[in-house]
């Protein structure tokens, strides 16, 4: 039995990953390298669906790659590449776009959410067809499993529908991808508003832990995290979202279970102790992570070499899939 093929992508839209990106996605990527045939992609084509600065995009793509390597991705054990280096992504996206109903695309809730405030007038067609490009990303690699959070589930469903539609109209070409469900405990919330997820776009300034920030800043943010007027250290997302978020972070970083942590804090130890422990765990993680990332960024040529090899490996698979699809379509 060959290992299941997995595909996942991350957008180069920030200077630094935040703790939610790491605990909710990147760490799982690292863990899947050995028992999966993993394709990991910095999705820069997705990043231009909203206005962008070209120099910044290039810089952020490199920073993303450096952080992925610093987190533990090994280019000998996975295929790590940048989306725009493999032209087949846009080529297949066009084909799949011609199989997608306008109404079907209009029902994608993420586009609706993103245009809710400003309206659709200023939005790009690229933002609208983003899920079609995502389907191409996944289907090009004959992907078995896609690690997805709740926010991407509908997009994966579209990928499955498009694969099935193509296969039934033109003949078996694409593998139907399955969701690889990530644990709910991997979801990290804003430190100042622990009912909202930690997010580069939506978080309050003090609510986010950016991995490349000065660790002292991160420690201070943890110590200033919102909790509640009670005293009990107990996991209850509805009643105690702030404390629950801190327990989630501590559990994820120290590999102790939440019940074991609750037990640990019973009797005498208060919110101040919890925050200090979380701050220590965060500093212990981000300090070497940041050093490794900065060291990798000192040598952009090596990063480019890694990416060139990754793109070559990815292209070999992508080109074969595209050729088959084009054959079926009569090109
Ligand atoms: P953001 O939500 O900050 O814009 P992205 O959409 O680029 O971040 O997310 C990249 C990856 O990180 C996705 O797999 C996403 O599910 C995951 N992720 C983002 N925010 C969180 C969070 N707060 N908790 C857990 N995972 C998250
Ligand atoms: Na997101």
């Amino acid at each position: 039995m060959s290992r299941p093929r997995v595909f996942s992508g991350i957008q180069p839209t920030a200077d630094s990953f935040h703790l939610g990106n790491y605990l909710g996605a990147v760490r799982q990527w690292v863990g899947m390298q050995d028992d999966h045939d993993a394709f990991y992609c910095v999705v820069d084509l997705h990043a231009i669906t909203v206005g962008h600065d070209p120099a910044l995009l290039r810089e952020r793509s490199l920073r993303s790659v450096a952080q992925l390597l610093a987190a533990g991705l090994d280019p000998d054990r996975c295929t790590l590449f940048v989306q725009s280096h493999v032209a087949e992504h846009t080529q297949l996206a066009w084909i799949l776009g011609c199989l997608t109903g306008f109404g079907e695309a209009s029902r994608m809730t993420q586009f609706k959410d993103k245009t809710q405030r400003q309206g659709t007038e200023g939005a790009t067609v690229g933002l609208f067809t983003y899920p079609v490009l995502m389907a191409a990303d996944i289907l090009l690699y004959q992907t078995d499993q896609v690690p997805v959070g709740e926010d991407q589930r509908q997009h994966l469903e579209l990928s499955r529908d498009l694969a099935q539609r193509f296969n039934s109209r033109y003949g078996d070409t694409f593998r139907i991808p399955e969701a690889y469900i990530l644990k709910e405990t991997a979801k990290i919330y804003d430190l100042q508003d622990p009912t909202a997820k930690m997010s580069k776009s939506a978080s309050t300034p003090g609510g986010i832990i950016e991995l490349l920030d000065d660790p002292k800043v991160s420690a201070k943010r943890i110590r200033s995290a919102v909790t509640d007027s009670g005293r009990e250290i107990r996991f209850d997302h509805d009643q105690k979202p702030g404390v629950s978020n801190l327990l989630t972070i501590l559990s994820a970083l120290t590999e102790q279970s939440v019940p074991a942590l609750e037990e640990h804090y019973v009797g005498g130890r208060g919110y101040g102790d919890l925050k200090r422990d979380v701050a220590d765990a965060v500093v212990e993680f981000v300090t070497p992570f940041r050093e490794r990332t900065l060291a990798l960024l000192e040598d952009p040529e090596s990063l480019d070499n890694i990416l060139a090899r990754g793109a070559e490996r990815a292209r070999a698979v992508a080109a074969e899939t595209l050729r088959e699809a084009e054959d079926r379509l009569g090109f």
Side-chain angles (χ1 to χ4, degrees):
M1 264 295 284
S2 63
R3 297 172 299 166
R5 172 80 47 84
V6 64
F7 177 92
S8 197
I10 194 157
Q11 288 198 51
T13 40
D15 291 334
S16 171
F17 291 168
H18 60 71
L19 194 59
N21 298 141
Y22 176 70
L23 295 176
V26 174
R27 197 165 72 145
Q28 273 77 8
W29 289 17
V30 174
M32 293 174 94
Q33 287 180 105
D34 291 319
D35 49 4
H36 289 77
D37 179 11
F39 283 65
Y40 296 135
C41 187
V42 174
V43 290
D44 55 350
L45 297 172
H46 286 284
I48 66 166
T49 52
V50 290
H52 81 288
D53 171 326
L56 206 51
L57 180 67
R58 198 167 297 119
E59 169 71 18
R60 286 174 168 177
S61 291
L62 270 194
R63 290 172 81 91
S64 300
V65 170
Q67 290 176 89
L68 290 170
L69 296 169
L73 286 193
D74 174 355
D76 291 324
R77 281 147 69 212
C78 69
T79 302
L80 174 61
F81 66 106
V82 173
Q83 188 183 26
S84 65
H85 296 178
V86 180
E88 283 79 359
H89 287 255
T90 41
Q91 293 174 278
L92 183 61
W94 176 257
I95 292 170
L96 296 178
C98 296
L99 260 73
T100 308
F102 183 80
E104 188 176 33
S106 306
R107 285 190 290 277
M108 295 292 128
T109 54
Q110 197 174 74
F111 179 78
K112 286 195 221 165
D113 291 347
K114 285 191 172 167
T115 53
Q116 200 173 30
R117 224 177 293 158
Q118 314 260 324
T120 52
E121 198 50 46
T124 67
V125 172
L127 185 66
F128 183 68
T129 58
Y130 177 114
V132 176
L133 179 59
M134 183 174 150
D137 300 339
I138 295 167
L139 301 184
L140 266 181
Y141 298 99
Q142 305 291 358
T143 300
D144 296 299
Q145 295 174 351
V146 185
V148 279
E150 214 38 60
D151 53 339
Q152 294 292 334
R153 258 189 166 300
Q154 197 190 24
H155 293 166
L156 178 62
E157 213 41 59
L158 178 70
S159 306
R160 291 167 51 84
D161 290 345
L162 290 175
Q164 268 150 354
R165 195 170 304 158
F166 188 104
N167 289 352
S168 70
R169 271 190 209 169
Y170 304 109
D172 239 0
T173 307
F174 298 112
R175 199 167 295 170
I176 314 297
E178 306 277 346
Y180 180 94
I181 301 299
L182 300 172
K183 290 185 294 185
E184 167 60 22
T185 53
K187 188 161 178 186
I188 307 300
Y189 294 87
D190 187 301
L191 297 170
Q192 291 300 318
D193 174 11
T195 58
K197 80 169 200 153
M198 186 179 287
S199 150
K200 64 179 168 261
S201 42
S203 278
T204 53
I208 187 168
I209 298 292
E210 291 183 289
L211 304 186
L212 299 181
D213 253 353
D214 183 336
K216 288 200 198 81
V217 171
S218 298
K220 186 150 179 270
R221 287 186 180 174
I222 298 282
R223 287 196 304 269
S224 317
V226 163
T227 48
D228 54 61
S229 56
R231 313 171 57 92
E232 218 186 335
I233 298 181
R234 166 169 66 78
F235 189 94
D236 180 343
H237 178 66
D238 295 328
Q239 301 295 321
K240 303 172 79 70
V243 167
S244 302
N245 192 35
L246 291 172
L247 284 170
T248 301
I249 294 170
L250 188 57
S251 165
L253 288 175
T254 62
E255 317 242 332
Q256 298 177 78
S257 72
V258 168
L261 289 172
E262 287 171 330
E263 184 71 25
H264 170 77
Y265 289 107
V266 168
R269 295 194 184 89
Y271 291 173
D273 299 289
L274 172 63
K275 287 181 178 179
R276 191 200 53 222
D277 294 345
V278 177
D280 287 350
V282 166
V283 168
E284 196 176 319
F285 166 67
V286 295
T287 303
F289 173 87
R290 182 170 179 256
E291 276 165 18
R292 280 197 297 276
T293 302
L294 297 180
L296 286 158
L297 284 169
E298 301 260 297
D299 187 2
E301 212 172 301
S302 294
L303 294 177
D304 284 339
N305 285 336
I306 288 172
L307 291 176
R309 270 199 295 142
E312 199 179 320
R313 288 220 301 268
R315 203 177 297 118
V317 179
E320 190 180 322
T321 304
L322 185 68
R323 198 177 323 113
E324 254 180 67
E326 289 183 336
D327 250 10
R328 304 263 192 213
L329 287 166
F331 291 141

